[in-house]
Amino acid sequence: MSDVGFVGLTDLRLAPAPAAQPSEALDAAFALRRAHFPDEIVFHTPGLKRFKTSEYAAQEAARFVSVSVTGTECALACEHCKTHVLEGMTPLPRFDGSLFDLCCELAEHGARGVLVSGGCDKHGRVPLLRHLPDLGRARRELDFTIRVHHGLLDEETAAGMAEVGVEGAMVDIIGDDATIREVYHLDATRAEYEAVLARLERHGVPAVPHIILGLHFGQMRGEWAALDMIARHARKFLVLVILMPLTGTPMVGVTPPPIAEMAEFFALARRTLPDTPVMLGCARPMGRIKADIDRAALDAGLNGIAYPADGLVAYACARGLTPKFVDACCGVQW
């Protein structure tokens, strides 16, 4: 883990704003976190975007790289994304070589791992199967940390991921059938998402489920059901993210859920999974609301936060937590 570039509290150029007093629910969640985990919090800064604040200025963006095996192509073009998220990834289709060749080139520039993702086919699956042999070579020959974002993967892909030794299988878990149809444009049900968790569990692949708060056009609808599904299956950790109203999508003007509602869900996740690391992932709205979300996540006892808002390191220290930085996806520990 890297703490190079961490700015001491006495050197901060921006003093943290006074913190609101946590609610009883957040206080209880924070106490539960301290009962199950060390007093430290990990801030993740993967190379998906450049990151620098007054508290951290040493990101090594080349250390962990996100790759899209489909470029910007996606058969679903979900309402909240419209392929824009794929634009920030390294596109494999534009690289003159295999996924392993790309990993070799990335390693030459300092990479120690990759997140392999991409657009989905009409069944909600990222086409990873033919790339698994390359990922196996990257693990064996480059000692790469491998994370994949796979969608509604089938049995064969799950078995292949187990053989490769994928260290984290990332999947959005949606607990509302209408959201699956209207946002993801999929003819599927929430039961199929739970079947993915069962499939990963059966093959011994470490599951990294994600829940997107406010995915249904800013409304909280299936998030509680998704949390229940996740609690029924083995998982490495849970990642919570927030709907981002992206420019160029039908949700550009959508208002995310209220801070209080998100904070309540953060605390519920902590109570539901008391000994599972719970992270606040990369995706969440920008601006002042981001700082409020981050503080609520910390108050609710979450274990890690990606791209922390300026001032959050100071706030973590004030709450008795030791901050550490890792330039990779949530949960990666070098």
Side-chain angles (χ1 to χ4, degrees):
M1 289 183 286
S2 170
D3 56 8
V4 177
F6 173 75
V7 181
L9 298 185
T10 58
D11 299 324
L12 290 178
R13 294 191 294 274
L14 297 176
Q21 291 300 312
S23 69
E24 289 185 9
L26 294 184
D27 248 356
F30 191 81
L32 189 61
R33 175 229 205 277
R34 300 191 82 166
H36 287 272
F37 299 96
D39 286 335
E40 69 176 35
I41 186 165
V42 182
F43 296 120
H44 293 272
T45 61
L48 191 61
K49 69 176 183 180
R50 296 285 178 176
F51 178 81
K52 182 179 179 180
T53 71
S54 68
E55 297 176 304
Y56 186 66
Q59 182 199 30
E60 295 182 39
R63 182 171 287 187
F64 193 86
V65 180
S66 298
V67 176
S68 171
V69 297
T70 67
T72 57
E73 296 297 317
C74 178
L76 299 182
C78 302
E79 294 294 292
H80 68 305
C81 174
K82 292 297 183 185
T83 77
H84 288 291
V85 173
L86 298 174
E87 294 172 1
M89 299 182 183
T90 299
L92 179 61
R94 296 183 192 171
F95 183 77
D96 186 20
S98 67
L99 180 55
F100 177 71
D101 294 332
L102 175 57
C103 289
C104 289
E105 181 171 309
L106 295 174
E108 291 175 359
H109 290 85
R112 297 177 61 186
V114 286
L115 165 63
V116 181
S117 183
C120 291
D121 63 18
K122 65 179 181 180
H123 303 293
R125 300 173 299 203
V126 179
L128 295 174
L129 186 60
R130 69 186 182 91
H131 299 291
L132 292 181
D134 283 340
L135 291 181
R137 289 189 66 189
R139 270 186 57 78
R140 294 190 307 271
E141 300 177 32
L142 304 175
D143 195 27
F144 261 26
T145 294
I146 306 292
R147 291 285 172 82
V148 299
H149 192 275
H150 49 74
L152 293 175
L153 85 172
D154 55 22
E155 198 77 24
E156 186 179 8
T157 303
M161 285 166 47
E163 185 175 350
V164 165
V166 166
E167 294 160 305
M170 302 165 65
V171 56
D172 298 337
I173 299 298
I174 308 174
D176 178 70
D177 290 351
T179 303
I180 296 168
R181 292 191 307 270
E182 297 171 22
V183 177
Y184 273 44
H185 307 151
L186 266 176
D187 183 19
T189 67
R190 66 185 191 181
E192 293 175 62
Y193 284 86
E194 183 160 12
V196 169
L197 293 172
R199 198 166 290 134
L200 293 171
E201 185 174 18
R202 186 163 59 252
H203 287 281
V205 179
V208 183
H210 287 48
I211 301 176
I212 307 172
L213 278 62
L215 178 59
H216 196 96
F217 301 92
Q219 301 174 34
M220 298 271 286
R221 290 183 55 153
E223 288 83 346
W224 298 274
L227 182 59
D228 286 343
M229 287 191 280
I230 291 165
R232 289 194 286 267
H233 298 278
R235 66 264 158 198
K236 188 170 186 176
F237 51 88
L238 169 65
V239 178
L240 304 177
V241 295
I242 317 297
L243 175 72
M244 295 179 66
L246 295 176
T247 300
T249 74
M251 295 200 192
V252 63
V254 167
T255 301
I259 291 291
E261 190 172 17
M262 289 189 277
E264 288 175 6
F265 193 86
F266 294 159
L268 175 63
R270 177 76 289 156
R271 293 196 305 271
T272 303
L273 307 174
D275 55 1
T276 296
V278 181
M279 313 290 184
L280 181 63
C282 298
R284 56 195 187 278
M286 296 292 104
R288 177 59 196 174
I289 190 175
K290 180 177 184 289
D292 293 338
I293 291 169
D294 290 5
R295 285 179 178 241
L298 191 149
D299 287 338
L302 271 60
N303 301 83
I305 297 176
Y307 302 130
D310 211 1
L312 199 69
V313 174
Y315 185 61
C317 293
R319 296 228 60 191
L321 300 177
T322 300
K324 295 187 177 181
F325 279 84
V326 176
D327 294 332
C329 276
C330 288
V332 172
Q333 304 280 0
W334 298 127

